[in-house]
């Protein structure tokens, strides 16, 4: 015998996916192992919620010092070592100046997570609305011995190198 029940509270929330469109102008300096760029991110709020802030990943900052989640993971797998104290092994993203629809916004790194920042929007982003987030950025590419961002000489393995909205 099979029973079918209709429980409105047990139904899953309607699925939504935020839309993000990028335009990134970037140059690689293969002598200094650096990227210099400017990014425009069109962020479309497809959620049913009004958003007062957005999180952005700043993945190159995971290589900035020995107190990041990446450093702790490497230490747990390989034991304690100098790792990001060596200048060649350090990487980071800086020179950020976020704007939303042409207006400067306040932002800060999350405590104990230098690879995630929170942008406080000047105007809440209503469901269905779009905001254009822009920022210049500079990335120091580390020597490629730790993970998926790095270089060995002038051979580059680069992932997650630009500011990107976080889930």
């Amino acid at each position: 015998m099979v029973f079918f029940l209709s429980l409105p509270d047990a139904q899953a929330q309607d699925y939504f996916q935020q839309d993000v469109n990028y335009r990134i102008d970037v140059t690689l300096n293969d002598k200094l192992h650096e990227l210099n760029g400017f990014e425009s991110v069109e962020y479309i709020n497809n959620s049913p919620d009004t958003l007062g802030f957005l999180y952005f990943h700043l993945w190159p900052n995971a290589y900035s010092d020995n107190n990041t989640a990446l450093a702790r993971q490497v230490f747990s797998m390989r034991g304690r070592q100098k790792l990001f104290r060596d200048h060649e092994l350090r990487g980071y993203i800086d020179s950020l100046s976020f704007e939303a629809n042409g207006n400067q916004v306040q932002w800060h790194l999350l405590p104990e997570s230098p690879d995630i920042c929170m942008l406080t929007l000047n105007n809440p982003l209503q469901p269905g609305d779009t905001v254009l987030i822009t920022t210049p950025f500079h990335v120091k590419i580390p020597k490629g011995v730790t993970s998926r961002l790095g270089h060995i000489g002038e051979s580059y393995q680069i992932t997650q190198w630009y500011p990107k909205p976080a889930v």
Side-chain angles (χ1 to χ4, degrees), residues 8-50:
D9 292 335
Q11 296 175 359
Q13 175 183 348
D14 290 338
Y15 176 80
F16 68 88
Q17 179 73 42
Q18 304 294 44
D19 285 329
V20 179
N21 300 305
Y22 297 91
R23 177 179 169 88
I24 304 174
D25 296 312
V26 66
T27 58
L28 167 67
N29 181 325
D30 61 357
K31 301 301 181 219
L32 297 176
H33 311 295
E34 296 177 344
L35 299 172
N36 289 293
F38 187 86
E39 173 180 74
S40 298
V41 177
E42 178 188 51
Y43 187 98
I44 303 163
N45 182 10
N46 290 323
S47 80
D49 301 315
T50 298

Side-chain angles (χ1 to χ4, degrees), residues 52-54 56 96-108 117-124 131-135:
F53 57 88
L54 299 174
F56 268 69
L96 300 161
S97 181
F98 288 100
E99 292 185 0
N101 294 331
N103 297 306
Q104 200 76 36
V105 295
Q106 295 294 315
W107 67 277
H108 65 275
C117 74
M118 184 175 119
L119 281 65
T120 302
L121 300 173
N122 297 328
N123 300 304
V131 64
L132 182 65
I133 305 291
T134 59
T135 187

Side-chain angles (χ1 to χ4, degrees), residues 135-148:
T135 187
F137 64 94
H138 164 261
V139 175
K140 162 68 172 70
I141 303 167
K143 187 173 180 183
V145 297
T146 305
S147 188
R148 299 177 292 164

